Amino acid sequence: MQSNDSDDAIDPLRAEVRGWLDEHWDASARKPAHDFGIGWRRLVVDAGWAAPRWPEQWGGRGLSDDDALVVEEEFNRVGAPGCGQDRSHVSANTLLTFGTDTLKHEALFRLIAEEITTCLLYSEPGAGSDLAAVRTRADWNGEHWVIKGHKIWTSGARTAEYGLLLARTDWDRPKHKGLSFFFVPMKQPGIDIKPIHQITGDSHFNEVFLDDVVVPASNLLGELNEGWKVLLVGLAYERLIMGEGIGERKQGSSKDDHNRADLISMARDAGLLKDSVFRRDLAQVLAYRQLNELNVARAKMELGRDKSSPLMSMSKLAMSRILHEEARIMTKMLGAASLLDGEPHEAAADVNYRAANAYMTSIGGGTDQIQRNIIGEQVLGLPREQEADRHIPFRDSRSVTG
Amino acid sequence: MQSNDSDDAIDPLRAEVRGWLDEHWDASARKPAHDFGIGWRRLVVDAGWAAPRWPEQWGGRGLSDDDALVVEEEFNRVGAPGCGQDRSHVSANTLLTFGTDTLKHEALFRLIAEEITTCLLYSEPGAGSDLAAVRTRADWNGEHWVIKGHKIWTSGARTAEYGLLLARTDWDRPKHKGLSFFFVPMKQPGIDIKPIHQITGDSHFNEVFLDDVVVPASNLLGELNEGWKVLLVGLAYERLIMGEGIGERKQGSSKDDHNRADLISMARDAGLLKDSVFRRDLAQVLAYRQLNELNVARAKMELGRDKSSPLMSMSKLAMSRILHEEARIMTKMLGAASLLDGEPHEAAADVNYRAANAYMTSIGGGTDQIQRNIIGEQVLGLPREQEADRHIPFRDSRSVTG
Amino acid sequence: MSEYLSEEERRAIRESFARLLAKHCTESDVRRLIATPEGYDRDLWRRMADMGVLGLLVDPTYGGSGAGAVELESLMEEAGAALLPGPLLSSGVLGSSLFSACTDDGVRLRLLPGLASGDTIASVALTGDSGTWRPDGVSVDAAPKGDAWLLTGCASFVTWACAADVLLVAARAPDGLGVFLVEDAQSLAGVTALQTHDPTLHLSRVVFKGVDAVRLPGLDESALEQAMNLARIALAGEQAGAARRVLDGTVEYIRTRVQFGRPVGGFQAIKHMAADLLLEVESATSVARQAASAFDEGDADSNELISLAAFACADAFVQTASSAIQMHGGIGFTWDHWAHLYWRRARADAQLFGGADFYRDRYLAAKESRNAK
Amino acid sequence: MSEYLSEEERRAIRESFARLLAKHCTESDVRRLIATPEGYDRDLWRRMADMGVLGLLVDPTYGGSGAGAVELESLMEEAGAALLPGPLLSSGVLGSSLFSACTDDGVRLRLLPGLASGDTIASVALTGDSGTWRPDGVSVDAAPKGDAWLLTGCASFVTWACAADVLLVAARAPDGLGVFLVEDAQSLAGVTALQTHDPTLHLSRVVFKGVDAVRLPGLDESALEQAMNLARIALAGEQAGAARRVLDGTVEYIRTRVQFGRPVGGFQAIKHMAADLLLEVESATSVARQAASAFDEGDADSNELISLAAFACADAFVQTASSAIQMHGGIGFTWDHWAHLYWRRARADAQLFGGADFYRDRYLAAKESRNAK
């Protein structure tokens, strides 16, 4: 990976990106150089920089991973957003891989230009860790798919243009074999969205009730009854992102996006840096975080930036411990003050929020227990957990029969 | 429970025990008052004090639990051994409950007089946690039982008069339903005893190879193929005893029987009692032990002295943590000195022995993991672990087919 | 143990209290109370008084039942299990035991009957902004002013001052710590309600700018410590009882919640968490009860046991409530589920009267001094 | 990273070393060596020299390969995995780096070629009976005696002194800590072999009653610290490699050991232990390697990373080896099983050069000073 900036050795791609950015982006003001009549991100999409690894047909430039990183570097260098969607945009990548051309034409460019958003309609009250037990049904009425069911843990449901839906299309097959994956247009009747109040106080998530919601044939992703495969691609991404600590953002709260705790400064302010008991705990918590960062860095180095690795699958589990332990040590720092909460007690509110929000990582996107199963089975090759209803028709499963 | 010592209120039983002891036991010298021509323990047996709860026919006095405790108190008061076998002698109690009269006449009195010992022939290389998977076979040849198999983790095999053996008598029934329980005479050909060298350096245990060993019909305990039930009685006892910390005895080593570590004195000698980091760890380890003692005391108070209770089943698990943590903190106290070992480095040898020997409690008599299953299932009523071969003929189980 | 209550009476009052709470302090009652400014149920308070719960520690001479720490701990297990909000610990434990220890019979006659009958509610200010609940954390000064005293300074984390008729204040007098009575607490200026993490707990900060108060004779630092010890035992009982309730509820859930075709409690990861929690809950129960009994008996190891109870019960409740959320999965992360209410109480209880590490050290110090003998 | 070894050469030497160990340092080899007085395999030592392992840190001028911490760490992962007994750390790391830092080219020319070829074995005495491996733990004094020096005092926990031809001694001179050379170490009086808990490790205690020695110029406290840093990195690599091997072996066992009709690795209690261990093992690997790379690059955070590696790798190896015994059940409790050999090494490695808590504090101190900037 090179980041040689000397002009004499500059490669043509880097020169091109740089030239384009010089023309379109005002690096000092951190905004577009002119009013181009369209949004900045759409401008980036049109230029082919939003997803440079993608084929040209879908707005990309068919670049190699190394070349795409050159593009990202140049964008980062001048602080211009909009690049790297081919690496980080879960829904768009899923659509690119599994979608029909009709649907791609309809949604792909708007997604990577971030003109529209999506939401995830995966979990159900009866299908949490056991996602393949979903009972939301999709039936073909001769014209289009008709959806009926109850989803939960959906963030951004109200603003989303599409919901990525996992639904059952065949009840006579085993649980994993009768599922299909849809892009559901969210702006239609029959969709009822009810916020979930979390233990943090936030309402980041929703329940979504679907009652005779219609979906065109072209919005089926992948093959009929092969929805589980489509889903796995998205889930792998979600875990990877959580492992890098993005899960600790206070999404939906009034706080900053990136608020990693500066534990040393906090400890110094609390006069605890001379307390040897506290020092040991603090050192261990800092170590957990740094070790995870080193693991992630090594994984990226060993395997290239956008491939997954055994290390990545451990990262979410590590992050769960980090967030719980950080909240614990911060509570200790505050002592009795952690009894308080709310705006007048900012430090307490922050600590208590973190303590509750840590469960978002240890439960959301697969509980710690499920993560350990995955690591044990998929990384270490240990025998699968026995699943009583894995091979029987889903309609005979205890999820249906109770 | 009364321990009123004033003569005017003394109950007749207490008076009788006291009188007997006055006559037979020299409390100041802690030995029998005279040479009675037989061993002290046999004297106690003959007087009916060794197992006072038992029926008179088998050497007891048919006393209630409360009355038996009076006898024990009086024996303890003057430091006389030999009482309480009806509470603590696992083999003898098993024999009393399940044995034939022939076998009882042959062995019961000698057992509680401690003239003979027994050993346990339960575990096998392929049947550790899964004890019901034993493959040692017992076949009836028309005259007696013929035993063939390989047992492991047997202590005291060389000196034992009898081995308590779990063997398979029916291979066509499910694993738990084809086992029988025998008292095997150990002093006979066909029994080969090979010591196991443990990680502590001790050789407390043996492997026992049985090759056409013969056992009379009267040495079958309980019904044919009902050996699992007989076994459970013994196992419950073993766990109870480990939970009270008897497992931390250095059996087979040259050290004392009761050598609970005096961690506070050790810490004081090591100059660590002023180290606040160390103090916290030390306090926590002391707490683990004291909490377990309080649990055991409460269980005894709530349920009477020789009944089992949910608390008792947790005690072995607690003791496992206690012993491992004590070894850990003692290692910390020694620091670099724990690199050493052997006689010239007594403190190091002790710590390193304890660190290794802690596994005797966390693995022996049911691993911590098995204990948690038992607590979860039998105390909390959670669903049983699925056991793939529980309901199939044992000869079709993976333990046999590989 | 009490000279006044028989074993049967003790069991009977615990069972009655449990039934009362099962009826009037359900989860929905607690949620309803959280939304009210008072934060507790005056009717239930009255019923608790009628049942003898409020006067438990008060001598029969003053209308109580003259029971001891054993009875108190036992009832607090029920209060914890039900997540009872209100000034029981403030008024029924700290207030009652301080007034009872006061050597002025006039004060006792005037205050204790009201405390036992529930007509008077006491709140006790024990610590300053440091929130250490140690003598050195007291930041109110008391200066003599004729026969009376003048209080200056600040107390914080004062439990249920909002509900109090009388306020007892630990303050530094020229001759050492003392306890001072401020009557008509509702008209006291300088009381600020604090927003709390545990919505079932009401706390206030009180600033004293020369407040008139009466010094309670006989209440020195050691009397204060005795009252604190009773409060620690009560809190330990609350924690043990609450932890047990949380475990029971969680076990019930994992027995019935089906995933992967079977109840999740059948999976070892969950089953073993439950087994480990049971050990913590049983240990908490054992030590809370033993600390109470040692206190009543005046045993030499009672301080050691009280410290052990303080951190073991705090840790057990926090661990149980924290694990319960994890074991419930997504549903445990929702506001409408009961788990986080206990989790908040567990976090709060772990701070009241000082943190676990403080008591761990105090426990070791007590063991050391016994070991040295 | 080295200027002399290419990426391919580095990979090649690691693979060759791994093959060599797979052939000559099997479990039965280790058990055989444990029973010998020497405790290590002289033939294997020679082969390691031929392969360039012993001269890894030695400049090509003196017959070595002039590699750095990155290569060292990488080979130590293999050495740890194979439980290699012998003076690699003493001679190949501490000895080599101290002699290399000596400013007297004559000393370098005289000693380094022998170290690289395996003909000379060095042992380094770094700490006294306190076993702290800190400057204040040095309890040998050096007094000038003409051109030479006289050593008095005592050093302990000296690794592989029994095998050493030359002994390097950290001692307190009038102008501060220095390093002193005692040649013909085999005829040195006052060396006592210590019985060790880890039978693959040989330790001695050395009493100096006026022993003649040569002071090595250029070796002050900071040179000593640099050599220690290399040794810490090497030890971290050994721990990471050993922990990985233990986990691999344990996973292999639980994949095949059948109880209750299925492999025990299918039970969550065991599977999840393995998953948690993998996280520890991967973290140990990451930090050992990153510490090596930061050392070679002279990064500002290299001290921080070395301290982090020291405690994280020690803890990871102890945890992995301890859990491995538990996961094996009864068979893991037998002397004939390999698990306890690693467990003993893990416990020993966790004490060498200072315990985990010391490094945890040192890590925090390093982070503090970076945070303050």
Side-chain angles (χ1 to χ4, degrees):
Chain A
M1 197 189 312
Q2 72 167 38
S3 54
N4 190 336
D5 271 8
S6 70
D7 273 327
D8 50 328
I10 200 163
D11 80 64
L13 173 64
R14 194 179 293 276
E16 184 188 352
V17 185
R18 210 170 270 191
W20 188 87
L21 284 166
D22 281 349
E23 191 179 331
H24 294 84
W25 183 253
D26 181 346
S28 56
R30 301 226 154 198
K31 63 182 186 69
H34 312 284
D35 179 1
F36 295 97
I38 54 173
W40 168 255
R41 285 176 184 273
R42 173 60 77 162
L43 203 67
V44 176
V45 170
D46 290 349
W49 301 133
R53 290 166 186 83
W54 286 7
E56 295 189 20
Q57 183 192 359
W58 301 115
R61 288 169 162 251
L63 295 188
S64 70
D65 197 49
D66 281 355
D67 283 345
L69 289 176
V70 168
V71 181
E72 289 183 35
E73 275 171 31
E74 289 302 314
F75 269 71
N76 289 339
R77 202 175 52 84
V78 298
C83 184
Q85 301 283 34
D86 44 4
R87 207 163 46 75
S88 62
H89 199 303
V90 182
S91 317
N93 278 287
T94 306
L95 176 56
L96 179 81
T97 311
F98 295 102
T100 59
D101 282 3
T102 311
L103 186 60
K104 285 188 211 169
H105 281 297
E106 180 185 311
L108 203 54
F109 294 92
R110 289 193 294 157
L111 280 173
I112 61 174
E114 298 190 10
E115 292 160 0
I116 57 170
T117 58
T118 58
C119 65
L120 305 183
L121 301 171
Y122 295 167
S123 299
E124 297 179 8
S129 292
D130 184 13
L131 208 48
V134 298
R135 286 183 293 174
T136 291
R137 57 189 309 138
D139 297 294
W140 180 252
N141 74 353
E143 223 174 315
H144 43 238
W145 294 99
V146 179
I147 316 288
K148 230 180 161 65
H150 175 187
K151 293 289 179 179
I152 197 169
W153 302 116
T154 301
S155 59
R158 240 169 249 291
T159 51
E161 188 78 15
Y162 296 98
L164 281 64
L165 175 91
L166 190 66
R168 192 157 305 275
T169 38
D170 191 336
W171 296 70
D172 294 317
R173 292 170 167 233
K175 58 201 289 193
H176 296 84
K177 311 283 188 182
L179 299 168
S180 298
F181 197 100
F182 299 92
F183 253 54
V184 177
M186 292 294 285
K187 314 286 192 197
Q188 61 169 309
I191 293 182
D192 187 21
I193 297 166
K194 194 182 138 213
I196 298 170
H197 201 185
Q198 298 151 224
I199 63 172
T200 52
D202 294 340
S203 290
H204 179 54
F205 297 107
N206 301 280
E207 289 184 272
V208 179
F209 298 85
L210 302 109
D211 191 13
D212 289 344
V213 166
V214 298
V215 179
S218 58
N219 286 33
L220 171 69
L221 270 74
E223 301 295 310
L224 184 65
N225 294 326
E226 298 283 353
W228 188 251
K229 288 183 190 163
V230 182
L231 175 88
L232 288 181
V233 173
L235 285 187
Y237 259 109
E238 199 177 333
R239 279 168 192 150
L240 187 148
I241 289 167
M242 277 192 158
E244 292 194 62
I246 301 174
E248 65 194 300
R249 284 184 193 175
K250 297 193 168 187
Q251 288 161 305
S253 89
S254 59
K255 301 289 171 63
D256 285 353
D257 250 16
H258 286 287
N259 63 340
R260 293 189 179 182
D262 178 358
L263 297 175
I264 292 183
S265 299
M266 271 188 77
R268 187 178 288 123
D269 295 346
L272 282 165
L273 270 185
K274 303 230 179 290
D275 176 325
S276 58
V277 177
F278 185 80
R279 285 180 69 84
R280 186 176 62 177
D281 292 349
L282 177 58
Q284 190 59 56
V285 173
L286 294 171
Y288 286 145
R289 185 178 278 276
Q290 189 162 4
L291 291 170
N292 187 46
E293 287 166 357
L294 293 173
N295 280 341
V296 171
R298 180 159 67 92
K300 285 185 175 167
M301 197 182 67
E302 285 179 0
L303 290 162
R305 270 181 87 171
D306 57 356
K307 301 199 186 66
S308 98
S309 116
L311 281 180
M312 284 318 210
S313 69
M314 271 171 284
S315 216
K316 177 173 176 292
L317 184 60
M319 192 50 70
S320 163
R321 176 165 70 177
I322 291 163
L323 297 175
H324 280 287
E325 289 297 313
E326 284 184 353
R328 203 148 73 108
I329 203 171
M330 288 168 78
T331 303
K332 227 171 214 186
M333 281 196 240
L334 279 193
S338 69
L339 285 162
L340 309 180
D341 213 339
E343 268 185 44
H345 312 289
E346 203 185 341
D350 183 49
V351 166
N352 292 324
Y353 183 93
R354 284 173 191 272
N357 204 45
Y359 288 100
M360 186 134 140
T361 295
S362 63
I363 293 174
T367 64
D368 285 356
Q369 287 68 38
I370 294 292
Q371 292 303 309
R372 290 192 182 95
N373 271 0
I374 291 173
I375 295 167
E377 293 164 15
Q378 295 178 14
V379 184
L380 296 173
L382 295 172
R384 288 187 64 89
E385 190 60 44
Q386 297 191 321
E387 202 170 333
D389 61 353
R390 193 176 177 84
H391 301 294
I392 59 172
F394 185 69
R395 64 171 78 254
D396 300 330
S397 139
R398 246 179 110 165
S399 301
V400 175
T401 61
Chain B
M1 200 189 315
Q2 73 169 37
S3 55
N4 190 336
D5 272 6
S6 70
D7 273 326
D8 50 326
I10 200 162
D11 79 62
L13 174 65
R14 194 178 293 277
E16 184 188 353
V17 185
R18 210 171 269 189
W20 188 88
L21 284 166
D22 282 349
E23 190 180 330
H24 295 84
W25 183 252
D26 180 346
S28 55
R30 300 226 155 201
K31 64 181 184 68
H34 313 285
D35 178 0
F36 296 96
I38 55 173
W40 168 256
R41 284 176 185 273
R42 173 62 75 162
L43 204 66
V44 175
V45 170
D46 289 349
W49 301 132
R53 291 168 186 82
W54 286 5
E56 295 188 19
Q57 182 192 3
W58 301 113
R61 289 170 162 251
L63 296 187
S64 70
D65 197 49
D66 280 353
D67 282 344
L69 290 176
V70 168
V71 181
E72 289 183 37
E73 274 170 31
E74 291 302 315
F75 269 70
N76 289 338
R77 203 174 52 85
V78 297
C83 184
Q85 301 283 33
D86 44 3
R87 205 163 48 77
S88 61
H89 198 303
V90 183
S91 316
N93 278 286
T94 307
L95 176 55
L96 179 81
T97 311
F98 296 103
T100 59
D101 282 2
T102 310
L103 186 59
K104 284 188 213 168
H105 281 297
E106 178 184 314
L108 203 54
F109 295 92
R110 290 194 293 155
L111 281 173
I112 59 173
E114 297 191 11
E115 292 160 1
I116 57 170
T117 58
T118 58
C119 65
L120 305 183
L121 301 170
Y122 296 166
S123 299
E124 297 180 9
S129 291
D130 185 11
L131 207 48
V134 298
R135 286 184 293 173
T136 290
R137 56 189 311 137
D139 297 295
W140 180 252
N141 73 353
E143 223 176 313
H144 41 239
W145 293 99
V146 180
I147 316 288
K148 229 180 162 61
H150 176 186
K151 292 289 179 178
I152 197 170
W153 302 117
T154 301
S155 59
R158 240 169 248 292
T159 49
E161 187 78 14
Y162 296 98
L164 280 64
L165 175 92
L166 190 67
R168 191 159 304 278
T169 38
D170 191 337
W171 297 70
D172 292 317
R173 291 169 167 236
K175 58 200 292 193
H176 295 84
K177 310 282 188 182
L179 298 169
S180 300
F181 197 100
F182 299 92
F183 253 53
V184 178
M186 292 295 285
K187 314 288 193 196
Q188 62 169 309
I191 292 183
D192 187 20
I193 297 167
K194 195 180 138 214
I196 297 169
H197 200 184
Q198 298 152 223
I199 63 172
T200 52
D202 295 341
S203 291
H204 178 54
F205 296 107
N206 300 280
E207 289 185 272
V208 179
F209 298 86
L210 303 108
D211 191 13
D212 288 344
V213 166
V214 297
V215 179
S218 58
N219 287 30
L220 170 68
L221 271 74
E223 300 294 311
L224 183 68
N225 294 325
E226 298 283 353
W228 187 250
K229 287 183 190 160
V230 182
L231 175 88
L232 288 181
V233 173
L235 284 186
Y237 259 109
E238 200 178 332
R239 280 170 191 148
L240 187 148
I241 288 167
M242 278 194 158
E244 292 193 61
I246 301 174
E248 65 193 299
R249 282 184 194 175
K250 296 193 167 187
Q251 287 162 305
S253 89
S254 59
K255 302 289 171 62
D256 286 352
D257 249 17
H258 285 290
N259 65 339
R260 294 190 177 180
D262 178 359
L263 297 174
I264 292 182
S265 299
M266 272 190 76
R268 187 178 288 124
D269 295 346
L272 282 165
L273 270 185
K274 302 228 179 289
D275 176 326
S276 58
V277 177
F278 184 81
R279 286 180 68 85
R280 186 177 62 176
D281 292 349
L282 176 58
Q284 190 59 55
V285 174
L286 294 172
Y288 286 145
R289 186 179 276 277
Q290 189 162 4
L291 291 170
N292 188 46
E293 288 166 358
L294 293 173
N295 280 341
V296 171
R298 179 160 67 91
K300 285 185 176 166
M301 197 181 67
E302 284 179 1
L303 291 163
R305 270 180 88 173
D306 57 356
K307 302 200 186 66
S308 98
S309 114
L311 281 179
M312 283 317 210
S313 69
M314 270 172 283
S315 217
K316 176 172 177 294
L317 184 61
M319 191 51 70
S320 163
R321 175 165 71 177
I322 291 164
L323 297 175
H324 279 288
E325 289 297 314
E326 284 184 352
R328 204 148 73 108
I329 203 170
M330 287 167 79
T331 303
K332 226 172 215 186
M333 280 196 239
L334 279 193
S338 70
L339 285 162
L340 309 180
D341 213 339
E343 268 184 43
H345 312 290
E346 202 186 341
D350 182 50
V351 166
N352 291 324
Y353 182 92
R354 284 172 191 271
N357 203 44
Y359 288 101
M360 185 135 139
T361 296
S362 65
I363 292 175
T367 64
D368 285 357
Q369 288 68 39
I370 294 290
Q371 292 303 310
R372 290 191 182 96
N373 271 0
I374 291 174
I375 295 166
E377 294 164 14
Q378 294 178 16
V379 185
L380 295 174
L382 295 172
R384 288 186 64 87
E385 190 60 44
Q386 296 190 322
E387 202 171 335
D389 62 353
R390 192 175 177 85
H391 302 293
I392 59 173
F394 185 68
R395 63 171 77 254
D396 299 331
S397 137
R398 249 180 108 164
S399 300
V400 176
T401 62
Chain C
M1 260 168 275
S2 157
E3 313 161 48
Y4 302 100
L5 289 187
S6 71
E7 179 74 34
E8 288 72 42
E9 283 171 320
R10 259 186 262 143
R11 194 174 312 122
I13 190 175
R14 177 171 181 156
E15 281 167 12
S16 311
F17 188 42
R19 275 195 303 274
L20 180 70
L21 294 174
K23 196 161 171 197
H24 297 288
C25 190
T26 63
E27 184 192 338
S28 68
D29 291 321
V30 172
R31 289 188 184 268
R32 178 176 48 76
L33 292 169
I34 287 173
T36 65
E38 295 81 22
Y40 74 104
D41 182 339
R42 283 170 193 268
D43 286 341
L44 176 57
W45 187 254
R46 181 75 50 196
R47 288 175 213 264
M48 283 161 56
D50 294 345
M51 194 172 277
V53 174
L54 301 186
L56 197 72
L57 301 179
V58 174
D59 194 89
T61 319
Y62 311 106
S65 25
V70 168
E71 291 81 4
L72 172 65
E73 189 281 334
S74 161
L75 296 190
M76 289 303 293
E77 287 185 25
E78 297 296 339
L83 215 56
L84 173 70
L88 179 57
L89 199 56
S90 313
S91 190
V93 181
L94 282 166
S96 295
S97 63
L98 285 173
F99 282 125
S100 297
C102 176
T103 49
D104 179 343
D105 194 44
V107 170
R108 294 204 300 270
L109 269 170
R110 190 155 54 80
L111 273 308
L112 283 172
L115 257 62
S117 69
D119 292 330
T120 307
I121 291 177
S123 173
V124 185
L126 289 163
T127 195
D129 285 326
S130 67
T132 60
W133 279 274
R134 290 194 300 267
D136 62 11
V138 171
S139 55
V140 180
D141 289 313
K145 178 196 172 195
D147 278 357
W149 294 75
L150 214 57
L151 303 182
T152 319
C154 153
S156 195
F157 308 106
V158 186
T159 52
W160 297 96
C162 48
D165 303 297
V166 297
L167 184 64
L168 289 162
V169 184
R172 207 172 298 286
D175 60 339
L177 277 191
V179 178
F180 299 81
L181 172 64
V182 178
E183 302 205 53
D184 196 5
Q186 287 299 314
S187 61
L188 182 65
V191 181
T192 314
L194 301 168
Q195 188 175 336
T196 53
H197 175 51
D198 171 10
T200 67
L201 172 69
H202 281 220
L203 295 176
S204 297
R205 187 167 185 270
V206 185
V207 177
F208 300 90
K209 293 184 173 163
V211 170
D212 288 321
V214 175
R215 184 169 192 169
L216 296 183
L219 297 186
D220 56 5
E221 197 172 319
S222 94
L224 210 47
E225 175 66 11
Q226 276 300 83
M228 280 287 286
N229 272 342
L230 268 169
R232 288 171 183 129
I233 290 166
L235 187 65
E238 169 173 307
Q239 291 166 323
R244 186 176 296 275
R245 178 68 60 88
V246 170
L247 179 58
D248 288 348
T250 304
V251 166
E252 182 57 34
Y253 179 76
I254 63 176
R255 252 202 299 246
T256 49
R257 165 76 173 174
V258 171
Q259 292 279 272
F260 305 107
R262 52 182 172 124
V264 298
F267 290 95
Q268 281 189 332
I270 302 299
K271 183 186 293 178
H272 290 192
M273 280 172 96
D276 286 336
L277 292 181
L278 183 62
L279 177 58
E280 300 306 316
V281 168
E282 294 295 355
S283 300
T285 306
S286 295
V287 69
R289 292 184 186 171
Q290 190 57 35
S293 149
F295 180 90
D296 282 345
E297 304 283 346
D299 288 352
D301 63 352
S302 77
N303 268 323
E304 178 183 316
L305 282 164
I306 289 168
S307 292
L308 177 58
F311 71 85
C313 296
D315 288 349
F317 186 18
V318 169
Q319 187 188 335
T320 307
S322 301
S323 296
I325 293 179
Q326 184 69 26
M327 291 162 83
H328 276 85
I331 194 78
F333 192 60
T334 61
W335 190 273
D336 291 340
H337 195 271
W338 53 263
H340 81 105
L341 295 177
Y342 284 87
W343 177 79
R344 284 166 191 266
R345 175 70 73 93
R347 285 170 58 81
D349 282 356
Q351 299 296 340
L352 274 185
F353 311 146
D357 279 347
F358 167 70
Y359 283 106
R360 240 183 297 271
D361 202 82
R362 195 168 173 263
Y363 165 69
L364 180 57
K367 278 196 111 60
E368 270 176 79
S369 68
R370 272 157 46 83
N371 173 281
K373 274 165 201 164
Chain D
M1 262 168 274
S2 157
E3 312 161 47
Y4 302 100
L5 290 186
S6 71
E7 179 75 33
E8 288 73 41
E9 284 171 318
R10 258 186 265 143
R11 196 174 310 123
I13 190 174
R14 175 169 182 157
E15 282 166 11
S16 312
F17 188 43
R19 274 195 304 274
L20 181 69
L21 294 174
K23 198 162 170 196
H24 298 287
C25 190
T26 63
E27 184 192 338
S28 67
D29 291 321
V30 172
R31 288 187 185 268
R32 178 176 47 78
L33 292 169
I34 286 173
T36 65
E38 297 81 23
Y40 74 104
D41 181 340
R42 282 168 194 269
D43 286 343
L44 176 57
W45 187 254
R46 182 76 49 197
R47 289 176 211 265
M48 282 162 56
D50 294 347
M51 194 172 275
V53 174
L54 301 186
L56 196 73
L57 301 179
V58 174
D59 195 88
T61 320
Y62 311 106
S65 22
V70 168
E71 290 81 3
L72 172 65
E73 189 282 335
S74 161
L75 295 190
M76 288 304 293
E77 287 185 25
E78 297 296 338
L83 215 57
L84 174 69
L88 179 56
L89 198 56
S90 313
S91 191
V93 181
L94 281 166
S96 296
S97 64
L98 284 172
F99 282 125
S100 297
C102 176
T103 49
D104 179 345
D105 195 43
V107 170
R108 295 202 301 268
L109 270 170
R110 191 154 53 80
L111 274 307
L112 283 172
L115 256 61
S117 69
D119 291 329
T120 308
I121 291 178
S123 173
V124 185
L126 290 164
T127 194
D129 286 325
S130 67
T132 61
W133 280 273
R134 292 194 299 266
D136 62 11
V138 170
S139 54
V140 180
D141 289 314
K145 177 195 172 195
D147 278 357
W149 294 75
L150 213 58
L151 303 182
T152 318
C154 155
S156 194
F157 309 105
V158 187
T159 53
W160 296 95
C162 47
D165 302 298
V166 297
L167 184 64
L168 289 162
V169 185
R172 206 171 300 286
D175 60 339
L177 277 191
V179 177
F180 299 82
L181 172 63
V182 178
E183 302 206 52
D184 197 6
Q186 286 299 315
S187 60
L188 183 64
V191 180
T192 314
L194 301 169
Q195 188 176 336
T196 52
H197 174 52
D198 172 10
T200 68
L201 173 68
H202 282 218
L203 295 177
S204 296
R205 185 166 186 270
V206 185
V207 177
F208 301 89
K209 294 184 173 165
V211 171
D212 287 321
V214 175
R215 184 169 191 168
L216 297 183
L219 296 185
D220 56 5
E221 195 172 319
S222 95
L224 210 48
E225 175 65 12
Q226 276 300 85
M228 279 286 287
N229 272 341
L230 267 170
R232 287 170 184 131
I233 290 166
L235 187 65
E238 168 174 308
Q239 290 165 324
R244 186 176 296 277
R245 179 67 60 87
V246 170
L247 179 57
D248 287 349
T250 304
V251 166
E252 182 58 32
Y253 178 76
I254 63 176
R255 252 202 299 246
T256 49
R257 164 76 172 174
V258 170
Q259 292 280 273
F260 305 105
R262 53 183 172 122
V264 297
F267 290 95
Q268 282 189 332
I270 302 298
K271 184 186 292 177
H272 289 192
M273 279 172 97
D276 286 336
L277 292 180
L278 183 62
L279 178 58
E280 300 305 317
V281 167
E282 293 295 356
S283 300
T285 306
S286 294
V287 69
R289 293 184 186 172
Q290 190 56 35
S293 150
F295 180 90
D296 282 346
E297 304 284 346
D299 288 353
D301 62 352
S302 76
N303 269 323
E304 177 183 315
L305 282 164
I306 289 167
S307 294
L308 177 58
F311 71 85
C313 295
D315 289 349
F317 186 18
V318 169
Q319 186 188 335
T320 307
S322 302
S323 297
I325 293 179
Q326 184 69 26
M327 291 162 83
H328 276 85
I331 194 77
F333 191 61
T334 62
W335 190 274
D336 291 342
H337 195 270
W338 53 264
H340 81 106
L341 296 177
Y342 285 87
W343 177 78
R344 284 165 191 267
R345 175 71 72 92
R347 285 170 58 82
D349 282 357
Q351 298 296 341
L352 274 185
F353 310 147
D357 279 348
F358 167 70
Y359 284 106
R360 239 183 296 272
D361 202 81
R362 197 168 172 263
Y363 165 69
L364 180 57
K367 278 197 110 58
E368 270 176 78
S369 69
R370 274 157 44 82
N371 173 283
K373 275 164 202 166

